[in-house]
mmCIF file of all heavy atoms in Angstrom:
data_model
loop_
_atom_site.group_PDB
_atom_site.id
_atom_site.type_symbol
_atom_site.label_atom_id
_atom_site.label_comp_id
_atom_site.label_asym_id
_atom_site.label_seq_id
_atom_site.Cartn_x
_atom_site.Cartn_y
_atom_site.Cartn_z
ATOM 1 N N GLU K 10 129.089 108.050 136.406
ATOM 2 C CA GLU K 10 129.219 109.371 136.831
ATOM 3 C C GLU K 10 130.437 110.034 136.123
ATOM 4 O O GLU K 10 131.558 109.349 135.998
ATOM 5 C CB GLU K 10 129.423 109.419 138.340
ATOM 6 C CG GLU K 10 129.431 110.699 138.999
ATOM 7 C CD GLU K 10 128.127 111.338 139.140
ATOM 8 O OE1 GLU K 10 127.152 110.573 139.090
ATOM 9 O OE2 GLU K 10 128.121 112.600 139.360
ATOM 10 N N PRO K 11 130.287 111.186 135.499
ATOM 11 C CA PRO K 11 131.490 111.761 134.888
ATOM 12 C C PRO K 11 132.489 112.375 135.860
ATOM 13 O O PRO K 11 132.128 112.928 136.847
ATOM 14 C CB PRO K 11 130.947 112.888 133.949
ATOM 15 C CG PRO K 11 129.608 113.286 134.752
ATOM 16 C CD PRO K 11 129.087 112.018 135.373
ATOM 17 N N SER K 12 133.775 112.274 135.491
ATOM 18 C CA SER K 12 134.794 113.042 136.126
ATOM 19 C C SER K 12 135.029 114.237 135.212
ATOM 20 O O SER K 12 135.407 114.020 133.977
ATOM 21 C CB SER K 12 136.032 112.226 136.263
ATOM 22 O OG SER K 12 135.773 111.253 137.216
ATOM 23 N N VAL K 13 134.949 115.502 135.629
ATOM 24 C CA VAL K 13 135.076 116.660 134.947
ATOM 25 C C VAL K 13 136.380 117.328 135.160
ATOM 26 O O VAL K 13 136.779 117.557 136.371
ATOM 27 C CB VAL K 13 133.891 117.692 135.273
ATOM 28 C CG1 VAL K 13 134.065 118.908 134.384
ATOM 29 C CG2 VAL K 13 132.592 116.948 134.967
ATOM 30 N N HIS K 14 137.126 117.630 134.106
ATOM 31 C CA HIS K 14 138.413 118.434 134.210
ATOM 32 C C HIS K 14 138.333 119.642 133.466
ATOM 33 O O HIS K 14 138.499 119.624 132.154
ATOM 34 C CB HIS K 14 139.543 117.395 133.654
ATOM 35 C CG HIS K 14 139.494 116.053 134.289
ATOM 36 N ND1 HIS K 14 140.102 115.793 135.541
ATOM 37 C CD2 HIS K 14 139.086 114.866 133.776
ATOM 38 C CE1 HIS K 14 139.976 114.511 135.735
ATOM 39 N NE2 HIS K 14 139.356 113.903 134.681
ATOM 40 N N PRO K 15 138.195 120.697 134.190
ATOM 41 C CA PRO K 15 138.286 121.997 133.470
ATOM 42 C C PRO K 15 139.544 122.304 132.820
ATOM 43 O O PRO K 15 140.596 121.743 133.259
ATOM 44 C CB PRO K 15 137.974 123.050 134.531
ATOM 45 C CG PRO K 15 137.408 122.202 135.724
ATOM 46 C CD PRO K 15 137.984 120.827 135.528
ATOM 47 N N SER K 16 139.606 123.067 131.831
ATOM 48 C CA SER K 16 140.911 123.412 131.152
ATOM 49 C C SER K 16 141.200 124.883 131.375
ATOM 50 O O SER K 16 140.406 125.676 132.024
ATOM 51 C CB SER K 16 140.735 123.101 129.681
ATOM 52 O OG SER K 16 139.918 124.036 129.085
ATOM 53 N N ASN K 17 142.305 125.326 130.809
ATOM 54 C CA ASN K 17 142.721 126.756 130.904
ATOM 55 C C ASN K 17 141.743 127.612 130.149
ATOM 56 O O ASN K 17 141.661 128.807 130.315
ATOM 57 C CB ASN K 17 144.094 126.965 130.508
ATOM 58 C CG ASN K 17 145.120 126.408 131.479
ATOM 59 O OD1 ASN K 17 144.699 126.236 132.678
ATOM 60 N ND2 ASN K 17 146.286 126.068 130.980
ATOM 61 N N ASP K 18 141.077 126.953 129.104
ATOM 62 C CA ASP K 18 140.080 127.723 128.122
ATOM 63 C C ASP K 18 138.719 127.439 128.842
ATOM 64 O O ASP K 18 138.343 126.412 128.978
ATOM 65 C CB ASP K 18 140.157 127.051 126.812
ATOM 66 C CG ASP K 18 139.192 127.724 125.879
ATOM 67 O OD1 ASP K 18 138.227 128.272 126.177
ATOM 68 O OD2 ASP K 18 139.506 127.655 124.582
ATOM 69 N N PRO K 19 137.996 128.512 129.201
ATOM 70 C CA PRO K 19 136.808 128.340 129.969
ATOM 71 C C PRO K 19 135.686 127.677 129.084
ATOM 72 O O PRO K 19 134.670 127.242 129.555
ATOM 73 C CB PRO K 19 136.341 129.755 130.281
ATOM 74 C CG PRO K 19 137.187 130.668 129.416
ATOM 75 C CD PRO K 19 138.420 129.948 129.119
ATOM 76 N N ASP K 20 135.904 127.685 127.684
ATOM 77 C CA ASP K 20 134.925 127.063 126.737
ATOM 78 C C ASP K 20 135.298 125.540 126.531
ATOM 79 O O ASP K 20 134.489 124.945 125.776
ATOM 80 C CB ASP K 20 134.875 127.815 125.474
ATOM 81 C CG ASP K 20 134.451 129.225 125.573
ATOM 82 O OD1 ASP K 20 133.572 129.436 126.541
ATOM 83 O OD2 ASP K 20 134.910 130.048 124.914
ATOM 84 N N VAL K 21 136.299 125.006 127.139
ATOM 85 C CA VAL K 21 136.677 123.653 126.872
ATOM 86 C C VAL K 21 136.710 122.923 128.237
ATOM 87 O O VAL K 21 137.118 123.388 129.313
ATOM 88 C CB VAL K 21 138.082 123.552 126.211
ATOM 89 C CG1 VAL K 21 138.535 122.059 126.155
ATOM 90 C CG2 VAL K 21 138.034 124.187 124.838
ATOM 91 N N VAL K 22 136.107 121.696 128.197
ATOM 92 C CA VAL K 22 136.090 120.844 129.382
ATOM 93 C C VAL K 22 136.429 119.438 128.864
ATOM 94 O O VAL K 22 136.130 119.037 127.812
ATOM 95 C CB VAL K 22 134.763 120.826 130.079
ATOM 96 C CG1 VAL K 22 133.676 120.315 129.254
ATOM 97 C CG2 VAL K 22 134.809 120.153 131.385
ATOM 98 N N VAL K 23 137.107 118.691 129.786
ATOM 99 C CA VAL K 23 137.483 117.269 129.494
ATOM 100 C C VAL K 23 136.677 116.496 130.510
ATOM 101 O O VAL K 23 136.783 116.667 131.692
ATOM 102 C CB VAL K 23 138.983 117.093 129.666
ATOM 103 C CG1 VAL K 23 139.352 115.526 129.488
ATOM 104 C CG2 VAL K 23 139.813 117.910 128.628
ATOM 105 N N ILE K 24 136.021 115.420 129.977
ATOM 106 C CA ILE K 24 135.278 114.524 130.860
ATOM 107 C C ILE K 24 135.702 113.026 130.659
ATOM 108 O O ILE K 24 136.082 112.744 129.444
ATOM 109 C CB ILE K 24 133.739 114.686 130.700
ATOM 110 C CG1 ILE K 24 133.307 114.336 129.267
ATOM 111 C CG2 ILE K 24 133.325 115.996 131.118
ATOM 112 C CD1 ILE K 24 131.735 114.297 129.213
ATOM 113 N N GLU K 25 135.677 112.357 131.644
ATOM 114 C CA GLU K 25 135.934 110.881 131.619
ATOM 115 C C GLU K 25 134.727 110.272 132.195
ATOM 116 O O GLU K 25 134.179 110.677 133.131
ATOM 117 C CB GLU K 25 137.140 110.562 132.614
ATOM 118 C CG GLU K 25 138.487 111.008 132.148
ATOM 119 C CD GLU K 25 139.624 110.626 133.065
ATOM 120 O OE1 GLU K 25 139.892 109.373 133.243
ATOM 121 O OE2 GLU K 25 140.033 111.523 133.982
ATOM 122 N N PHE K 26 134.358 109.249 131.422
ATOM 123 C CA PHE K 26 133.091 108.471 131.931
ATOM 124 C C PHE K 26 133.190 107.015 131.241
ATOM 125 O O PHE K 26 133.941 106.765 130.368
ATOM 126 C CB PHE K 26 131.851 109.190 131.554
ATOM 127 C CG PHE K 26 131.680 109.347 129.997
ATOM 128 C CD1 PHE K 26 130.866 108.556 129.309
ATOM 129 C CD2 PHE K 26 132.261 110.465 129.413
ATOM 130 C CE1 PHE K 26 130.608 108.693 127.879
ATOM 131 C CE2 PHE K 26 132.090 110.616 128.020
ATOM 132 C CZ PHE K 26 131.258 109.794 127.292
ATOM 133 N N ASP K 27 132.384 106.133 131.707
ATOM 134 C CA ASP K 27 132.233 104.821 131.140
ATOM 135 C C ASP K 27 130.848 104.644 130.709
ATOM 136 O O ASP K 27 129.915 105.162 131.257
ATOM 137 C CB ASP K 27 132.523 103.790 132.273
ATOM 138 C CG ASP K 27 133.919 103.831 132.772
ATOM 139 O OD1 ASP K 27 134.910 104.007 132.003
ATOM 140 O OD2 ASP K 27 134.086 103.831 134.073
ATOM 141 N N GLY K 28 130.714 103.816 129.581
ATOM 142 C CA GLY K 28 129.423 103.474 129.056
ATOM 143 C C GLY K 28 129.297 102.002 129.077
ATOM 144 O O GLY K 28 130.302 101.297 128.860
ATOM 145 N N PHE K 29 128.121 101.497 129.415
ATOM 146 C CA PHE K 29 127.814 100.133 129.593
ATOM 147 C C PHE K 29 126.718 99.747 128.752
ATOM 148 O O PHE K 29 125.648 100.373 128.629
ATOM 149 C CB PHE K 29 127.613 99.729 131.088
ATOM 150 C CG PHE K 29 128.680 100.113 132.024
ATOM 151 C CD1 PHE K 29 128.687 101.348 132.570
ATOM 152 C CD2 PHE K 29 129.821 99.391 132.135
ATOM 153 C CE1 PHE K 29 129.700 101.717 133.492
ATOM 154 C CE2 PHE K 29 130.847 99.721 132.952
ATOM 155 C CZ PHE K 29 130.825 100.954 133.678
ATOM 156 N N GLY K 30 126.794 98.534 128.134
ATOM 157 C CA GLY K 30 125.690 98.039 127.295
ATOM 158 C C GLY K 30 126.114 96.745 126.660
ATOM 159 O O GLY K 30 126.905 95.993 127.248
ATOM 160 N N HIS K 31 125.568 96.452 125.499
ATOM 161 C CA HIS K 31 125.958 95.250 124.773
ATOM 162 C C HIS K 31 125.747 95.407 123.235
ATOM 163 O O HIS K 31 124.959 96.296 122.859
ATOM 164 C CB HIS K 31 125.183 94.010 125.292
ATOM 165 C CG HIS K 31 123.679 94.132 125.030
ATOM 166 N ND1 HIS K 31 122.811 94.774 125.948
ATOM 167 C CD2 HIS K 31 122.795 93.795 124.138
ATOM 168 C CE1 HIS K 31 121.619 94.808 125.615
ATOM 169 N NE2 HIS K 31 121.533 94.209 124.494
ATOM 170 N N GLY K 32 126.433 94.564 122.444
ATOM 171 C CA GLY K 32 126.214 94.514 121.009
ATOM 172 C C GLY K 32 124.750 94.134 120.711
ATOM 173 O O GLY K 32 124.287 93.093 121.298
ATOM 174 N N ALA K 33 124.134 94.795 119.821
ATOM 175 C CA ALA K 33 122.661 94.491 119.533
ATOM 176 C C ALA K 33 122.621 93.163 118.880
ATOM 177 O O ALA K 33 121.662 92.430 119.169
ATOM 178 C CB ALA K 33 122.098 95.616 118.661
ATOM 179 N N ALA K 34 123.494 92.783 117.970
ATOM 180 C CA ALA K 34 123.385 91.562 117.293
ATOM 181 C C ALA K 34 124.066 90.338 117.991
ATOM 182 O O ALA K 34 123.574 89.185 117.924
ATOM 183 C CB ALA K 34 124.103 91.715 115.891
ATOM 184 N N THR K 35 125.188 90.669 118.871
ATOM 185 C CA THR K 35 125.921 89.570 119.422
ATOM 186 C C THR K 35 125.539 89.346 120.926
ATOM 187 O O THR K 35 125.817 88.221 121.433
ATOM 188 C CB THR K 35 127.455 89.890 119.441
ATOM 189 O OG1 THR K 35 127.657 91.112 120.200
ATOM 190 C CG2 THR K 35 127.818 90.126 117.934
ATOM 191 N N GLY K 36 125.102 90.470 121.622
ATOM 192 C CA GLY K 36 124.741 90.313 123.082
ATOM 193 C C GLY K 36 125.998 90.383 123.865
ATOM 194 O O GLY K 36 126.046 90.394 125.081
ATOM 195 N N GLU K 37 127.160 90.530 123.163
ATOM 196 C CA GLU K 37 128.437 90.687 123.897
ATOM 197 C C GLU K 37 128.580 92.054 124.625
ATOM 198 O O GLU K 37 127.977 92.962 124.132
ATOM 199 C CB GLU K 37 129.552 90.669 122.805
ATOM 200 C CG GLU K 37 129.864 89.394 122.092
ATOM 201 C CD GLU K 37 130.646 88.415 122.861
ATOM 202 O OE1 GLU K 37 131.161 88.612 123.934
ATOM 203 O OE2 GLU K 37 130.700 87.248 122.332
ATOM 204 N N PRO K 38 129.150 91.915 125.769
ATOM 205 C CA PRO K 38 129.253 93.202 126.527
ATOM 206 C C PRO K 38 129.970 94.382 125.942
ATOM 207 O O PRO K 38 130.834 94.130 125.151
ATOM 208 C CB PRO K 38 129.963 92.766 127.897
ATOM 209 C CG PRO K 38 130.649 91.502 127.566
ATOM 210 C CD PRO K 38 129.852 90.908 126.404
ATOM 211 N N TYR K 39 129.461 95.539 126.120
ATOM 212 C CA TYR K 39 130.105 96.813 125.682
ATOM 213 C C TYR K 39 130.326 97.592 127.003
ATOM 214 O O TYR K 39 129.456 98.271 127.473
ATOM 215 C CB TYR K 39 129.204 97.572 124.696
ATOM 216 C CG TYR K 39 129.875 98.959 124.159
ATOM 217 C CD1 TYR K 39 130.758 98.815 123.194
ATOM 218 C CD2 TYR K 39 129.508 100.066 124.732
ATOM 219 C CE1 TYR K 39 131.304 100.037 122.716
ATOM 220 C CE2 TYR K 39 130.051 101.247 124.261
ATOM 221 C CZ TYR K 39 130.981 101.174 123.250
ATOM 222 O OH TYR K 39 131.587 102.332 122.845
ATOM 223 N N ASP K 40 131.565 97.572 127.432
ATOM 224 C CA ASP K 40 131.981 98.317 128.677
ATOM 225 C C ASP K 40 133.150 99.170 128.212
ATOM 226 O O ASP K 40 134.264 98.780 128.147
ATOM 227 C CB ASP K 40 132.352 97.327 129.729
ATOM 228 C CG ASP K 40 131.192 96.469 130.159
ATOM 229 O OD1 ASP K 40 130.050 96.733 130.031
ATOM 230 O OD2 ASP K 40 131.526 95.365 130.841
ATOM 231 N N GLN K 41 132.822 100.285 127.934
ATOM 232 C CA GLN K 41 133.749 101.174 127.206
ATOM 233 C C GLN K 41 134.087 102.446 128.141
ATOM 234 O O GLN K 41 133.230 103.016 128.706
ATOM 235 C CB GLN K 41 133.120 101.909 125.912
ATOM 236 C CG GLN K 41 134.010 102.734 125.173
ATOM 237 C CD GLN K 41 135.090 102.077 124.445
ATOM 238 O OE1 GLN K 41 136.134 101.961 124.954
ATOM 239 N NE2 GLN K 41 134.805 101.516 123.219
ATOM 240 N N SER K 42 135.454 102.844 128.198
ATOM 241 C CA SER K 42 135.847 104.020 128.839
ATOM 242 C C SER K 42 136.106 105.023 127.769
ATOM 243 O O SER K 42 136.655 104.806 126.809
ATOM 244 C CB SER K 42 137.211 103.732 129.687
ATOM 245 O OG SER K 42 136.950 102.774 130.650
ATOM 246 N N TYR K 43 135.666 106.274 128.104
ATOM 247 C CA TYR K 43 135.738 107.442 127.151
ATOM 248 C C TYR K 43 136.490 108.552 127.899
ATOM 249 O O TYR K 43 136.419 108.788 129.051
ATOM 250 C CB TYR K 43 134.382 107.956 126.897
ATOM 251 C CG TYR K 43 133.488 106.936 126.122
ATOM 252 C CD1 TYR K 43 132.631 106.149 126.834
ATOM 253 C CD2 TYR K 43 133.421 107.032 124.766
ATOM 254 C CE1 TYR K 43 131.721 105.332 126.169
ATOM 255 C CE2 TYR K 43 132.558 106.087 124.159
ATOM 256 C CZ TYR K 43 131.725 105.301 124.810
ATOM 257 O OH TYR K 43 130.871 104.468 124.167
ATOM 258 N N ILE K 44 137.169 109.314 127.056
ATOM 259 C CA ILE K 44 137.710 110.613 127.434
ATOM 260 C C ILE K 44 137.167 111.522 126.374
ATOM 261 O O ILE K 44 137.502 111.346 125.091
ATOM 262 C CB ILE K 44 139.296 110.633 127.527
ATOM 263 C CG1 ILE K 44 139.726 109.850 128.622
ATOM 264 C CG2 ILE K 44 139.774 112.148 127.724
ATOM 265 C CD1 ILE K 44 141.241 109.657 128.842
#
């Protein structure tokens, strides 16, 4: 679920979210946090 942070500029928004998956070749986990 994204966390949405509006900015002083109405055309700009900051979102925080996490993506989950795995490496296609390795099977290693891909648990990434994004801003």
Side-chain angles (χ1 to χ4, degrees):
E10 185 78 17
S12 291
V13 180
H14 308 281
S16 74
N17 291 335
D18 182 335
D20 296 328
V21 174
V22 66
V23 176
I24 60 172
E25 294 180 71
F26 62 98
D27 298 314
F29 302 95
H31 61 274
T35 65
E37 294 276 356
Y39 180 81
D40 298 340
Q41 182 72 267
S42 295
Y43 298 89
I44 296 176

